[in-house]
Amino acid sequence: MPIELKHVSYTYDPGLPTAKDALKDVSLTFREKEFVGIIGHTGSGKSTLIQMLNGLIQPTEGEILLNGESYYSFPEGMKKRQLKKAQAARLKSIRQQVGLVFQYPEHQLFEMTVAKDIAFGPANLGLPEEEIAARVDECMAMVGLKPELKEKSPFELSGGQKRRVAIAGVLAMKPAFLVLDEPTAGLDPRGRDGILGRIRRLQEETQIAVILVSHSMEDVARYTDRIIAVDDGRIRFDGKPREVFEHAQELRQMGLGIPQMTELGFRLKEKGLPLHDTILSVEEMLQALKEVYSC
Amino acid sequence: MLRDITIGQYYSADSVIHRLDPRTKLIGTFCFIVILFLIKGVYGLLIAGLLLLLIVKATKIPLWYIVRGQKSIYILLMFTVVLNMLMVKGDVLVKIGFITITREGIYTAVFMAMRLILLVIGCSLMTLTTTPLQLTDGLERLLRPLKKIKVPVHDISMMMSIALRFIPILMEETDKIMKAQSARGADFESGSILQRAKALIPVLVPLVISAFRRADELATAMEARCYRGDEGRTRMKELKYQKRDHIAKLVILVGCAGLYMTRFLPSITQTFYAITGLFS
């Protein structure tokens, strides 16, 4: 059940002096069970891209398909009313299958209790109450929230806990794709590792596909299987972390960078140390150095 | 969906009108509003509309952009037109059941609609060509004499500028929260009025919370920069009238006088009666 983008373009405020091309002729496929990282500097078009996956923004040009089914085109000859209904139904099903967690998702909390807030998504899907209650418990466990927090007000929680509640609220819709826009922004290192570690484990256990937007090269190098680098509305690189981070020069030009250990690896190589592979993490560096000095 | 609302928004462009002193624009807008209520006939309004169109041309803002921004006024406009048409008594033109449409009704409806449109476009021209900061600066300067009678002019204008500045921010925030809730399956576009009103709770609660948070942050930031109100505060950009402002004031004076003179034009009602007389 892949998401496919075919020659997708998007322009904000077309025809105004503020008009801006956010995406230019992007073709991409997000496969099932993948852990993908999207990197790009601010304003590169990555936010537009992920909002499109969820059907919140309709491409100005091009087509986007989920499971081979287009988001916006329907068989011809449908009446206007029917079309509107079919469109609404399709978007609902897309939003169930592609869960999107916005930046600072805790800002969207509104209910009286944590449980009710997590139930908002599944309730909108029209699920029976027992099913909703089961999902609330399940998702709270998934993101590592203690069951006793259930009846607390979400506004009493700490920043990291609030964010977990918001993520659980999206997980409760049981999506096949989980799209996260900088889920660790503004968290301390422990909160960051906690959330990303949870997501990685979740992805391995439930086989959900995760699309992670991040500014931290370390995080994408550590957690993802595939990296997509976006620059100026275009896809510049798409491949395994090791392949993408070989292009250190280009990435720097795009206002990005490479993980610190990769940088160190390149520098050591320049100095003549026989490191064969691109290094992504501290553990890999340690391993490589041990090999070099054979100890 | 919220991007279409342009009331109180600034449209950046490089035109003579943009460069005018905000005080000149405030005075001009005020005069325009007053004169709109002094004009008696449709002729006068037509001429005023023509003048306004010339000013729009001078601002380099596309007309469709201004018209599109007035969408929310249209409902009000419809009310005015329909009510005037049905309520004003006079010579009956059409009578279907309890609905009677009179000549005077049509005339008043058209007149009121034109006045309202001109009023709204005239006012939005000011906010479109003046940044909120300039606007409140101008207002503060113009109202300064009132300080003598203990009116807190500075505080009022500061509040106004903050309120204006927050419109686009809150709009963006609303858009963001609506998107986030839509992603969780919230539906804002279907259902009965009651259901739709209820659907807004997930947007309003976070919005109010974020507005308070922002207000709090702003207050801290202002205090951190030693803001303590009006006393001893100097400005980086002092307002100064330029040559073009004097010319603009002259144009305003002549324009207003001219529009006032339209009161003495032969009334359009006679022409109107002549035309509708053909059909009755």
Side-chain angles (χ1 to χ4, degrees), chain B residues 19-28 137-143 145 237-250 252:
Chain B
R19 267 176 276 142
L20 279 180
D21 191 289
R23 284 173 293 175
T24 316
K25 282 186 267 191
L26 276 166
I27 295 169
D137 253 16
L139 202 68
E140 190 179 345
R141 193 71 188 70
L142 278 177
L143 293 180
K237 284 181 191 152
E238 286 282 349
L239 290 176
K240 243 191 199 138
Y241 283 124
Q242 308 287 324
K243 202 173 149 202
R244 55 172 170 263
D245 291 301
H246 298 305
I247 297 172
K249 276 182 189 161
L250 204 69
I252 292 167

Side-chain angles (χ1 to χ4, degrees), chain B:
Chain B
M1 46 198 133
L2 290 166
R3 281 173 175 273
D4 290 346
I5 302 170
T6 50
I7 296 171
Q9 292 268 60
Y10 177 66
Y11 183 100
S12 141
D14 185 30
S15 78
V16 192
I17 309 286
H18 280 78
R19 267 176 276 142
L20 279 180
D21 191 289
R23 284 173 293 175
T24 316
K25 282 186 267 191
L26 276 166
I27 295 169
T29 312
F30 183 72
C31 291
F32 184 70
I33 294 171
V34 171
I35 212 77
L36 270 184
F37 284 94
L38 289 177
I39 291 174
K40 267 183 165 169
V42 171
Y43 280 144
L45 285 185
L46 277 177
I47 296 170
L50 226 62
L51 285 177
L52 195 65
L53 214 65
L54 282 178
I55 300 172
V56 169
K57 203 88 201 136
T59 60
K60 294 185 184 167
I61 302 172
L63 188 63
W64 63 264
Y65 183 83
I66 300 172
V67 174
R68 195 187 66 173
Q70 318 301 330
K71 261 185 193 161
S72 41
I73 306 295
Y74 294 157
I75 303 166
L76 189 71
L77 203 67
M78 288 291 287
F79 264 112
T80 327
V81 168
V82 171
L83 282 182
N84 270 305
M85 219 141 79
L86 298 180
M87 295 302 183
V88 177
K89 291 186 175 64
D91 287 346
V92 176
L93 275 184
V94 191
K95 193 171 166 118
I96 312 161
F98 62 95
I99 299 169
T100 46
I101 295 174
T102 62
R103 274 192 194 142
E104 285 82 356
I106 294 179
Y107 177 74
T108 327
V110 170
F111 183 74
M112 286 294 180
M114 282 176 73
R115 186 188 265 171
L116 199 64
I117 293 174
L118 289 179
L119 193 72
V120 171
I121 292 184
C123 292
S124 56
L125 265 190
M126 184 177 63
T127 49
L128 280 167
T129 58
T130 321
T131 60
L133 215 63
Q134 280 182 321
L135 199 68
T136 42
D137 253 16
L139 202 68
E140 190 179 345
R141 193 71 188 70
L142 278 177
L143 293 180
R144 200 179 272 179
L146 289 182
K147 240 188 200 167
K148 292 222 173 72
I149 51 166
K150 297 263 162 86
V151 178
V153 174
H154 172 80
D155 305 68
I156 292 173
S157 68
M158 179 56 88
M159 279 188 247
M160 219 181 90
S161 73
I162 291 174
L164 279 174
R165 180 67 194 83
F166 266 57
I167 292 175
I169 292 180
L170 289 181
M171 215 102 100
E172 209 173 282
E173 189 89 18
T174 314
D175 199 46
K176 225 164 74 187
I177 297 170
M178 276 177 109
K179 273 181 173 171
Q181 305 298 23
S182 303
R184 293 210 278 163
D187 183 3
F188 303 110
E189 270 144 31
S190 61
S192 64
I193 292 183
L194 196 71
Q195 277 172 320
R196 280 194 212 195
K198 258 189 171 168
L200 281 180
I201 293 173
V203 177
L204 291 179
V205 173
L207 189 67
V208 170
I209 292 172
S210 105
F212 273 112
R213 193 180 51 235
R214 275 178 201 281
D216 221 27
E217 280 168 9
L218 182 69
T220 315
M222 281 168 85
E223 256 190 80
R225 291 202 256 165
C226 303
Y227 177 78
R228 56 199 160 94
D230 193 17
E231 238 164 287
R233 191 171 158 81
T234 55
R235 317 196 155 272
M236 190 161 93
K237 284 181 191 152
E238 286 282 349
L239 290 176
K240 243 191 199 138
Y241 283 124
Q242 308 287 324
K243 202 173 149 202
R244 55 172 170 263
D245 291 301
H246 298 305
I247 297 172
K249 276 182 189 161
L250 204 69
V251 171
I252 292 167
L253 197 70
V254 172
C256 286
L259 286 173
Y260 187 74
M261 295 305 245
T262 60
R263 280 165 78 98
F264 306 113
L265 276 179
S267 157
I268 193 169
T269 11
Q270 279 127 9
T271 343
F272 185 71
Y273 268 84
I275 295 168
T276 48
L278 291 177
F279 298 106
S280 60

